[in-house]
Amino acid sequence: MSHISYVNGRYLPHAAANVHIEDRGYQFADGVYEVICYWKGKPIDYKGHIQRLERSLSELQIRQPCTMQALTVIVREVVARNRLTTGHIYMQINRGVANRAHYFPKPSVKPSVVVVTKPVAGPSDAVAEKGGKVVTAPDIRWERVDIKSVSLLPNCLAKQLAQEAKAFETFLHLPDGTVTEASASNAWMVTPDKTIVTHPADGAILSGITRATVIKLAREAGYKVEERAFTLTEAFAAKELFVTGTTSFVMPIVQMNDRMIANGSPGTVALDLRARYRSYVDTVDPATAWDL
Ligand code: PMP
């Protein structure tokens, strides 16, 4: 069975799925995207992802290519054609194709739409149970990281640092030492008094969909959760560190740069939240999972 992707109205073999060379996504990174976990036959937090997509489009004044109901029909068709059972859905909407000029095309052009599925889900339980390492790097991104834009070069540079250090992620920090988030996930710590802390979704981070669900699950389980900034110094002294994201779920972090966090094993809070998140995704109801 060939892998089918959707591009601008057509379902094509993945290898033949192309966009135009004057697509503004290609020339200016003028586009937005979403990555949605598809787990045992249903999307996870679909509505939250679509709401964030609508917000990203609106913040960049990119027209909606169609209604979100119509987009959902397309997404479901790509999922069905690829017989996806578990993996992820990638969707990207660019401002469209126009003669190269920095300002927005006037009159506006039709936005480009791409939907791709991949049968790859997050890190295995075996990887998570060992925990991962993070390295640290200055957060050199622009000031609109709240928008899920495809302008990801600083994130790529940061992830490459992790790759070279055989680390799972890179924690990004401001000049004052504040940890904002990681290159492709949200950053968390557990303080010595067992408070769970993550940066507020105030514009300095991407408001993660997994982050919101994990906050809810943690509070329901009786944990104290604080949305506040924390520094690298606090992170080094933390009881636990972990990251969350669509492709990582909850991933314990046991080492930052050359220093072990606590005793260097995944923490009980991170493992508990990972288990809670796993049972949450397992119990998402397929009957309502696509509801907007
Ligand atoms: N921060 C950044 C920079 C990301 O790229 C991601 C992954 N898209 C996240 C956080 C986590 O967001 P989510 O839980 O919605 O995947």
Side-chain angles (χ1 to χ4, degrees), residues 2 52 73 96 169 173 213 251:
S2 78
R52 188 173 63 184
V73 171
E169 256 292 20
H173 62 85
T213 297
M251 174 69 187

Side-chain angles (χ1 to χ4, degrees), residues 52 141 148 155 181-186 206 208-210 245-246:
R52 188 173 63 184
R141 300 173 300 162
K148 199 162 169 62
N155 305 63
E181 59 184 328
S183 75
S185 49
N186 288 114
L206 180 76
I209 304 299
T210 320
T246 294

Side-chain angles (χ1 to χ4, degrees), residues 133-136 159-170 255 257-258:
K133 171 181 168 182
V134 292
V135 290
T136 58
K159 195 67 159 194
Q160 178 60 19
L161 278 182
Q163 183 75 8
E164 286 166 11
K166 295 190 168 51
F168 184 77
E169 256 292 20
T170 299
Q255 185 182 343
N257 296 335
D258 293 330

Side-chain angles (χ1 to χ4, degrees), residues 23-44:
D23 189 294
R24 289 179 59 98
Y26 174 64
Q27 290 185 325
F28 297 114
D30 188 359
V32 301
Y33 75 109
E34 278 297 327
V35 182
I36 303 171
C37 174
Y38 193 77
W39 187 258
K40 298 180 184 166
K42 70 251 168 163
I44 306 304

Side-chain angles (χ1 to χ4, degrees), residues 138-151:
D139 190 344
I140 58 168
R141 300 173 300 162
W142 71 326
E143 288 185 3
R144 292 308 310 272
V145 297
D146 58 307
I147 300 170
K148 199 162 169 62
S149 134
V150 294
S151 176

Side-chain angles (χ1 to χ4, degrees), residues 3 6 24 36 45 47 51 107 138-139 144 162 193 199 201 206 214 240 246:
H3 181 189
Y6 174 91
R24 289 179 59 98
I36 303 171
D45 290 337
K47 186 176 178 176
Q51 284 175 341
D139 190 344
R144 292 308 310 272
D193 76 354
H199 197 288
L206 180 76
V214 170
E240 300 182 25
T246 294

